[in-house]
Amino acid sequence: MNKNIPITLLTGYLGSGKTTLINYILKNNDNKKIAIIVNDIGSVNIDASLIEKDGIVSKKDESLVALSNGCICCNLKMDLVEQIFEIIKQDKFDHIIIEASGICEPIPIAQTISMINEMYRANLCHIDSIVTITDALRLASEFGCGEYLIKDDIKDDDLEKLIIEQLEFCNVIILNKVSELDDESRNEVKGIIRQIQPNAKMIEANYAEVDINEILDTKLFDFNEASMSAGWISALDNHEEEEESSEILEYGIETFVYYRRGPFNRSKFYKFVDSIWDKSIIRTKGVVYFSDEVNMAYMFESAGNSKNLVPTGPWISDLSKEEQQSIIIANPDIMDDWDPEYGDKMIKIVIIGKNIDKESLVSKLDSFLDK
């Protein structure tokens, strides 16, 4: 069994680029054998499917683990411990990367990982670094270039508090999408981040493209230094006293899945997204398709004011019988969601928001279906 395998914990607010960074790492890591644990708060782990979609890893070789419908900083702690142990038992990986949910706090996750050696009474793993990826454009456009992060009246359930905690407790900050800002806004964002976190290495990036050596095998995480932070000490002191609470409740954030088999009308959907996208929505990610191009699957995602729609390839049900059979044999779970009429065609969007009017939103989205 591999001993003392390094773990990189990747945090960052919803839509900051965590999955993009992981895919970049997997393509540019000099054949380092990396296992990935992906956590999503929804019942559908879209981030895991995006990593698989690139053909980089597959569930067959157990290098990708998806932990869904909860947070690894609260109700999925033991699931995380068990999955890390199972990966280490395989004795074939050089590194583990954990992609935390966008609303996870890093301190409880670091606590959990730090307890694994004691729990199993073996020197199995260690935290190599905690990397926080931050959307520079979003800080500028939605958080006043970061000014809202240092205001005096931040409450416990404000989203600003979550972003601050992710920035405070890390070794490396990746400031993503910097090319979207002018020099003045970029410098303002960097200056405010430095007020919150003066010590972490800061890397500027676009499309989450970074020097892999800056974030893997860094040996930057030091438990004693981390334990001197007020947040860490408070968490340890209160660990036995406080009941576990879900971030979905703490920050007023909730998630649900919009799922339909028929296609959208493209023009109606485009108009909706461009003009009146619900302001209560923080993040969406999922697969869609359109009645004028039913054979093509698209990945749709939004994060605040940023929206993106990218074709990902044909549906399996539109491939030849031979190609279908080959793919289904390799991935039999595809048949779990196979429809006699639509095959694997579907609209499935994970929607994360604060105080969402679900009924109204679902009604709007249903009106864009081509029935």
Side-chain angles (χ1 to χ4, degrees), residues 166-183:
Q166 292 174 344
L167 288 170
E168 281 183 336
F169 199 80
C170 68
N171 308 113
V172 179
I173 297 170
I174 298 175
L175 191 59
N176 199 26
K177 307 178 188 178
V178 290
S179 65
E180 302 289 336
L181 302 183
D182 57 37
D183 289 343

Side-chain angles (χ1 to χ4, degrees), residues 20-39:
T20 303
L21 176 61
I22 286 179
N23 276 326
Y24 181 77
I25 291 171
L26 292 173
K27 291 175 181 175
N28 298 275
N29 62 31
D30 296 326
N31 297 317
K32 186 186 294 291
K33 294 179 180 178
I34 299 176
I36 310 293
I37 298 175
V38 181
N39 174 222

Side-chain angles (χ1 to χ4, degrees), residues 295-332:
N295 65 328
M296 180 61 67
Y298 285 82
M299 185 58 62
F300 170 72
E301 61 179 319
S302 72
N305 296 323
S306 175
K307 306 170 189 76
N308 199 26
L309 184 72
V310 179
T312 60
W315 296 101
I316 296 169
S317 53
D318 286 323
L319 300 176
S320 69
K321 294 294 184 182
E322 292 78 13
E323 289 174 304
Q324 286 184 38
Q325 186 176 12
S326 175
I327 293 171
I328 291 170
I329 289 173
N331 302 275

Side-chain angles (χ1 to χ4, degrees), residues 263-300:
F264 279 135
N265 177 290
R266 188 188 298 265
S267 61
K268 289 180 180 179
F269 183 71
Y270 280 12
K271 287 177 183 176
F272 173 66
V273 170
D274 288 341
S275 61
I276 56 169
W277 188 245
D278 195 316
K279 292 182 179 178
S280 67
I281 295 172
I282 298 169
R283 175 75 162 135
T284 66
K285 187 182 284 189
V287 63
V288 302
Y289 72 114
F290 302 102
S291 55
D292 63 337
E293 193 183 11
V294 293
N295 65 328
M296 180 61 67
Y298 285 82
M299 185 58 62
F300 170 72

Side-chain angles (χ1 to χ4, degrees), residues 227-262:
S227 66
M228 295 304 293
S229 73
W232 177 276
I233 292 171
S234 175
L236 285 175
D237 289 344
N238 297 324
H239 179 65
E240 298 297 333
E241 300 172 11
E242 296 180 355
E243 295 183 5
E244 290 181 349
S245 62
S246 166
E247 277 66 29
I248 298 174
L249 299 175
E250 182 177 351
Y251 295 101
I253 296 173
E254 55 186 325
T255 177
F256 74 99
V257 179
Y258 177 81
Y259 176 73
R260 297 289 186 267
R261 298 306 304 218

